[in-house]
Each structure stands twice: as C-alpha cells, then as structure tokens.
Amino acid sequence: MKKILFINGPNLNLLGEREKGIYGSSTLEDINMLVCREAEKLDILVEFMQSNHEGDIIDKIHEARGRYHAIVINPGAFTHYSIAIRDAIKAVELPVIEVHLSNIYAREEFRSKSVIAPVCIGQISGFGVDSYVLALYAAAGL
Ligand code: DQA
C-alpha cells in the first residue's frame, strides 16, 4: 500500500484562526481529515506532522527514507528561504510535492520565490484546502 507523509511547517497549526481572509477557516485538523477521507478512496495510507521548527522538519524528511513513497509539504515561510529543507529533500531522493493554500505568486514579492520548488516534482499553490487534495492525487499518480 502506498504511504504518503504530509508535512506542515510553521504557523500552520494556527489555521482556522490565522489570517482567515487568506488561508480560510478550516483548521489543520479539518484539512487532515479531508485528506484522510480522499486517501481511503484511493487506498493510500497517509500520515501527518506539523512543526514550527526547521530542524524537526529536516529530521522528519530524513526519517521518511524507506518509510514513505512520497512527501507532500507545505513549508510555510520556510518555502522562501530554507536552503536546509531544500538540501534535505534533495538528499533523501523521495518524490516531494510542494503545496500552498494561497497563491504565493499573487501576494508580496518575497513570497513569489520558492527555494524548495526546484527540488520538488511539482508545486500546487492557490487552491485553499483543495491544494492538499490535489497534491494527494498527484502523489497517488506518481
Ligand atoms: C503558505 C504561504 C507562505 O508564504 C506562508 O508563509 C505560509 C503559508 C500557504 O500555504 O499559502 O505560512 O505556505
């Protein structure tokens, strides 16, 4: 059975309360439940982690080697500057899909640069909670 790890970075634990106009009113728990329901239909096993700490995210990416078939990651603000997360993704040689709730290209200039995207299979940005479901389907099709 295919296993996919969903990683959420800093401040995403505050979804549902945080900048609702941009990120919507769903909590991270709501999103994870939605993904779980879709994953059942696809016969895929999904696991979730969220951390506000770069090192924890890097450790989790390392641990994913041999345990998961793919990773879906919303690196939050780390998207824009974490060379360490980028290097971890490159190092583990697992297929990784980058997701964002908001369209990072339609916001502040500094958000339009992802240092993570070049080491990912692809990026899904701007579809709110559906970004995660689309990423699941993309990972299922790999
Ligand atoms: C985000 C976009 C990032 O720029 C921001 O720092 C986030 C959330 C998104 O899902 O739209 O924390 O990754």
Side-chain angles (χ1 to χ4, degrees):
M1 199 185 219
K2 210 171 217 180
K3 276 180 82 176
I4 299 170
L5 174 66
F6 282 71
I7 298 178
N8 280 285
N11 302 307
L12 295 165
N13 55 311
L14 298 181
L15 285 177
E17 310 167 29
R18 171 196 183 204
E19 298 184 83
K20 285 190 194 177
I22 295 172
Y23 300 119
S25 53
S26 299
T27 64
L28 190 54
E29 190 54 36
D30 295 335
I31 294 173
N32 293 350
M33 270 160 45
L34 177 69
V35 169
C36 265
R37 279 202 300 272
E38 290 299 320
E40 261 175 46
K41 292 184 205 163
L42 296 168
D43 218 18
I44 284 177
L45 242 154
V46 283
E47 282 178 25
F48 305 96
M49 81 84 79
Q50 187 277 329
S51 176
N52 294 319
H53 306 282
E54 192 177 27
D56 289 347
I57 293 170
I58 292 165
D59 287 344
K60 198 71 188 176
I61 293 168
H62 292 176
E63 286 165 20
R65 262 183 308 182
R67 293 197 192 168
Y68 300 93
H69 295 92
I71 298 175
V72 172
I73 186 166
N74 183 345
F78 287 141
T79 304
H80 314 298
Y81 66 91
S82 178
I83 305 298
I85 291 177
R86 175 193 168 120
D87 285 351
I89 291 171
K90 185 95 177 140
V92 296
E93 292 178 344
L94 275 173
V96 176
I97 298 167
E98 180 182 320
V99 295
H100 298 285
L101 293 147
S102 64
N103 178 353
I104 60 170
Y105 302 98
R107 301 182 59 194
E108 300 96 326
E109 180 69 31
F110 67 84
R111 290 188 206 275
S112 64
K113 167 93 184 153
S114 169
V115 298
I116 308 294
V119 294
C120 292
I121 298 265
Q123 184 199 61
I124 297 163
S125 175
F127 297 95
V129 297
D130 288 341
S131 288
Y132 288 84
V133 177
L134 291 167
L136 172 71
Y137 274 80
L142 289 172

